[in-house]
Amino acid sequence: MSDDVRIEIEAVPRPGLSTDQLRQAVAGHPRVLAELGVGDAEGLIVPHAAALGHDPGPAAPFRATVFDPIGNRAVELRGTLDRPEEAEVRPSAFRPQPSSGELTAAAAVLRADPAFPHGDDVVVYRPMPPLADLENPDGTTVRRPTLGVYTPSDPTGVRHRIVAVDLTHRAVDWTPAGIDLRMHHDCEHTVPEGVDALADRGGPDQVHVKVLRGDTVLWDLLVVRPRASAPQNPGVGGGVELRNVRYRGRLALRQAHVPVLNVEYEQGTTFRDDASFETRFSAAGSDPVGWGWRLCTSPPRTILERTDSDSGNFQGVAFHHDGRELRIVSELAAGWYRYASDWRLGDDGSIRPRFGFAATANPMTCKVHRHHAYWRFDFDIGGAADDVVEQIDAGPVSPGPVPVIRETSRRRAEGRYWQVRDKSSGHGYRIHPGPYDGTADAYGVSDLWFLRHHPAELDDGNPGPRDRAAINRWLDGESIDGANVVVWYAGHYYHDQAHPQPHQGELIGPELTPF
């Protein structure tokens, strides 16, 4: 870190009721217990409970989910923080992904099974899909987290198996229906980290960060860790999320995150990946506000930089300033995939959102596939209103900036870029596509969307066929000329083992430059 630059990090509690207080209030709600058919709140899980809005007050609305893992049912609550007992309660189809604690408990059941393989090199890891629930004849379902079993020395040559664990009955299904069992070889050499190494030891969900050079505040923002990102939509996640981003006192972004993350294989398999499950990476430094937040003395190293290990000494969000920019980074896990959620905030006001793609040893990446990451940038240049989007096509006969006055989507083209500008001040940010960001195929849908801001349009709700991004459903012709503008930006990464990219893939993402 440069001698004249300092980073200030301060924990920021959630407004109104604390998360723990809200969780207790909703889990014991009489209508929740009645709807789930249980006598008390013991054993119930509250995977999601948060106030809505950017700056909620003590009486702000909240949304929460309560899940019964034994009955495999969930309910959703909507109410206000000052009167949670009056919340509306209704059934929900949401099923939370297994937590670290649930995976650890499932691993204990698995290891006690007589069929569990012996050997010091056996690793129990988190695979995809995360659940293999079983439907009973009466319509009820049994929750069954999945686990991967990596046996590199197996005499039959089968190196990977995916099993389902019924924690209630402490039973293991070694051949769950619908799981691809062709697990006899690997396309990556990195041994996956075992589920026992992953933990969540608490710590703040969000912090207030300032970057100062001397007495000048360069950056002032709120950073939300992946496990708490996009709290209005349970189970979505958005990687490392930035809020209320100010450069030299001027507001630029109200919110920025990655709410949609897809992968498609050429043979037809698709996944909507979760971007909230934090995993370990390497980061040296101190923890100024508690577990999960680290101010680094050297650049943090995810699996993309380490290349040889899926382990590390840290889990959460790391900060490092190299004298030119602040890097904010976390590593995420979705089955055998590893994602780097990475932001670079330059001292010159530039913003470089980055997302990286990697994987541990598994056979699925042998198959040609495409990753699609969709950033959501809620631009508030100097304030929420009066912004305009302009398209620039560079060239000798360029017409100059052309206003985009209605909601629309766009494909990238050589020499083309866009800018979001505040009409009153003239200040704004240009959006230049990154060199590795690709162009959308039919599954990727498009490259950019320009929308008018609506609070409910935070993620697409995964309604698209085969997990395809469904951002187009918000294109209804509204004016974005002098409005509160939201830009969705998609990056598409093509992974083919026959034509490998540099190790574990490139970091993709656009360049946001101020003007």
Side-chain angles (χ1 to χ4, degrees):
M1 185 182 300
S2 176
D3 292 338
D4 61 342
V5 171
R6 67 183 189 275
I7 312 299
E8 295 181 356
I9 303 174
E10 179 184 8
V12 178
R14 297 283 188 183
L17 291 176
S18 71
T19 301
D20 289 341
Q21 290 172 327
L22 183 57
R23 289 178 188 273
Q24 291 174 7
V26 300
H29 196 295
R31 290 200 297 276
V32 167
L33 303 181
E35 182 68 37
L36 293 176
V38 297
D40 54 52
E42 184 177 0
L44 298 183
I45 299 171
V46 185
H48 161 78
L52 304 182
H54 293 297
D55 302 299
F62 76 85
R63 180 180 177 185
T65 305
V66 181
F67 177 68
D68 174 19
I70 296 178
N72 203 21
R73 297 181 60 228
V75 293
E76 181 184 270
L77 296 89
R78 291 177 182 264
T80 58
L81 292 176
D82 57 338
R83 295 186 177 182
E85 69 280 358
E86 298 179 5
E88 175 191 3
V89 179
R90 57 189 179 189
S92 170
F94 175 67
R95 299 293 180 266
Q97 298 211 7
S99 66
S100 298
E102 194 174 6
L103 292 175
T104 301
V109 173
L110 174 60
R111 290 192 178 95
D113 191 272
F116 187 75
H118 299 285
D120 295 335
D121 58 353
V122 177
V123 178
V124 177
Y125 64 93
R126 183 176 183 251
M128 290 194 303
L131 294 165
D133 292 350
L134 182 66
E135 184 175 357
N136 295 319
D138 62 359
T140 61
T141 57
V142 179
R143 179 173 172 84
R144 302 195 308 175
T146 60
L147 291 171
V149 183
Y150 177 63
T151 52
S153 302
D154 188 282
T156 65
V158 178
R159 299 162 66 89
H160 294 266
R161 296 176 177 85
I162 296 179
V163 305
V165 180
D166 179 350
L167 280 169
T168 301
H169 301 97
R170 300 186 66 81
V172 179
D173 182 352
W174 285 87
T175 57
I179 302 294
D180 187 351
L181 296 178
R182 293 172 293 175
M183 301 288 183
H184 57 279
H185 61 295
D186 295 318
C187 291
E188 304 287 350
H189 67 275
T190 305
V191 175
E193 182 78 297
V195 296
D196 304 290
L198 302 174
D200 189 334
R201 299 185 178 89
D205 284 341
Q206 56 188 16
V207 298
H208 181 204
V209 178
K210 288 185 179 181
V211 180
L212 301 97
R213 186 179 294 279
D215 295 329
T216 301
V217 179
L218 299 178
W219 291 100
D220 186 324
L221 67 152
L222 191 73
V223 180
V224 183
R225 62 190 301 174
R227 72 176 189 196
S229 62
Q232 293 91 330
N233 296 272
V236 175
V240 177
E241 181 178 337
L242 310 185
R243 297 184 185 177
N244 300 327
V245 181
R246 288 177 168 83
Y247 176 68
R248 293 184 177 267
R250 187 184 301 276
L251 184 64
L253 290 165
R254 181 69 67 179
Q255 187 177 30
H257 51 149
V258 182
V260 178
L261 182 61
N262 292 343
V263 60
E264 178 198 28
Y265 290 88
E266 286 198 345
Q267 88 278 15
T269 303
T270 64
F271 294 103
R272 172 64 63 94
D273 280 348
D274 174 32
S276 67
F277 194 97
E278 302 167 2
T279 190
R280 299 203 302 172
F281 61 104
S282 298
S286 59
D287 301 340
V289 294
W291 192 84
W293 299 94
R294 182 155 293 179
L295 184 57
C296 296
T297 54
S298 58
R301 300 168 65 231
T302 69
I303 193 173
L304 274 75
E305 292 92 6
R306 289 195 315 269
T307 74
D308 59 349
S309 175
D310 187 39
S311 62
N313 63 347
F314 177 70
Q315 188 175 325
V317 178
F319 302 88
H320 179 257
H321 195 282
D322 64 0
R324 298 173 302 166
E325 64 180 9
L326 174 69
R327 185 181 177 197
I328 308 171
V329 62
S330 185
E331 185 174 319
L332 314 173
W336 40 74
Y337 285 113
R338 300 294 180 266
Y339 297 115
S341 179
D342 202 329
W343 295 89
R344 287 94 185 276
L345 306 183
D347 292 357
D348 60 357
S350 61
I351 303 173
R352 296 195 293 153
R354 293 292 178 264
F355 217 80
F357 308 91
T360 59
N362 73 93
M364 285 296 286
T365 53
C366 301
K367 305 171 184 178
V368 176
H369 59 281
R370 293 170 177 83
H371 295 277
H372 305 272
Y374 300 81
W375 282 268
R376 178 182 176 273
F377 302 117
D378 181 359
F379 282 99
D380 283 359
I381 309 296
D386 208 28
D387 288 345
V388 62
V389 175
E390 296 167 325
Q391 179 170 303
I392 298 95
D393 285 286
V397 293
S398 172
V402 176
V404 179
I405 63 173
R406 298 284 177 186
E407 292 184 328
T408 187
S409 66
R410 287 286 188 270
R411 296 293 183 99
R412 284 184 280 272
E414 186 175 356
R416 175 176 294 174
Y417 64 95
W418 297 265
Q419 60 189 28
V420 180
R421 177 175 57 84
D422 177 68
K423 278 191 170 183
S424 299
S425 67
H427 294 282
Y429 269 84
R430 295 190 174 98
I431 305 171
H432 289 272
Y436 304 107
D437 294 352
T439 302
D441 56 10
Y443 184 81
V445 184
S446 192
D447 296 328
L448 293 97
W449 290 260
F450 303 109
L451 303 174
R452 192 182 186 100
H453 176 271
H454 291 286
E457 296 178 359
L458 192 64
D459 82 286
D460 68 349
N462 197 14
R466 299 175 62 242
D467 303 307
R468 183 182 288 115
I471 303 168
N472 279 346
R473 69 193 182 105
W474 296 320
L475 294 176
D476 52 15
E478 288 186 274
S479 171
I480 55 172
D481 184 14
N484 186 355
V485 172
V486 171
V487 177
W488 287 78
Y489 182 97
H492 316 283
Y493 179 70
Y494 180 73
H495 192 172
D496 181 359
Q497 285 290 330
H499 301 88
Q501 302 290 326
H503 176 80
Q504 296 283 33
E506 292 284 355
L507 283 165
I508 67 170
E511 304 281 334
L512 309 183
T513 57
F515 66 92

